[in-house]
Amino acid sequence: MRRRAFTLLDVLLETSGKPQATVLLVMGLVSLIGSVSLYVTMGAYQKSALQTEKNTFTSLLQRARSLSMNNVCAGECTDGVAHGVHIDDEGYVLFQGSEYVDSDPHNARFPFEPTLVRAGTLLTQDVVFAQLSGDTNCSSVCELSIRAPDGVTVVISVTGEGRILWTM
């Protein structure tokens, strides 16, 4: 005689004592697998968010340096201007000019990931790249460290000569 395959529905419909214990065991295993996969997924999300944040900020620094070295000016300028990056409560701002002006319509805003923690001199000091040379207003090295909730940290450094470095 052929044995009939049991499904989860058959187990749930069973009325004797053992199937209810089986249902509890299956539910426990499913919740255990779900919690482990959630833990792994959150770690991957945090690493991805940190990597994206590093890429965004370093790309903005490289863009500002490139615009300054190419003597680019948007708007009503007749000659090129310096460009820089400012960090405020809402995100990163790519600006033109020797200092950040909040009301400049040519500012480009880029929001940042709110779950990451930022620290360093770049929170209080804008990085401004000089026209044609790409030198910065940093006396030696300006830094921004970005830390994920799991403790992984990225440090982005800008030297006085305009070199952009990062370590993870």
Side-chain angles (χ1 to χ4, degrees):
M1 179 174 199
R2 217 168 100 192
R3 295 180 107 189
R4 197 179 109 167
F6 287 96
T7 63
L8 184 58
L9 182 61
D10 292 335
V11 172
L12 291 173
L13 294 176
E14 194 71 34
T15 56
S16 67
K18 288 193 181 218
Q20 281 107 10
T22 306
V23 168
L24 288 174
L25 180 66
V26 169
M27 288 174 57
L29 287 173
V30 167
S31 62
L32 178 68
I33 292 170
S35 63
V36 168
S37 64
L38 180 65
Y39 176 76
V40 170
T41 303
M42 286 305 294
Y45 170 75
Q46 289 176 355
K47 184 175 181 181
S48 173
L50 186 63
Q51 186 74 23
T52 300
E53 198 75 12
K54 176 196 69 89
N55 291 342
T56 300
F57 189 65
T58 55
S59 294
L60 284 175
L61 290 169
Q62 291 169 348
R63 177 75 176 149
R65 181 179 60 192
S66 175
L67 290 169
S68 295
M69 292 178 72
N70 290 318
N71 214 21
V72 174
C73 178
E76 302 172 7
C77 318
T78 57
D79 193 12
V81 293
H83 289 77
V85 177
H86 170 79
I87 302 173
D88 61 18
D89 296 337
E90 299 171 9
Y92 308 115
V93 182
L94 179 65
F95 65 92
Q96 70 177 12
S98 57
E99 60 184 50
Y100 172 70
V101 177
D102 189 40
S103 61
D104 188 347
H106 298 102
N107 290 345
R109 295 192 166 274
F110 298 86
F112 50 59
E113 176 64 38
T115 61
L116 301 174
V117 178
R118 288 159 198 78
T121 56
L122 290 178
L123 288 177
T124 58
Q125 174 186 353
D126 298 337
V127 175
V128 179
F129 293 92
Q131 287 175 258
L132 301 177
S133 70
D135 293 342
T136 68
N137 59 336
C138 298
S139 57
S140 60
V141 176
C142 297
E143 289 186 341
L144 175 69
S145 54
I146 306 169
R147 186 173 47 86
D150 64 358
V152 178
T153 302
V154 152
V155 178
I156 302 166
S157 306
V158 182
T159 66
E161 295 81 30
R163 185 173 182 192
I164 302 165
L165 307 161
W166 63 88
T167 57
M168 206 164 185

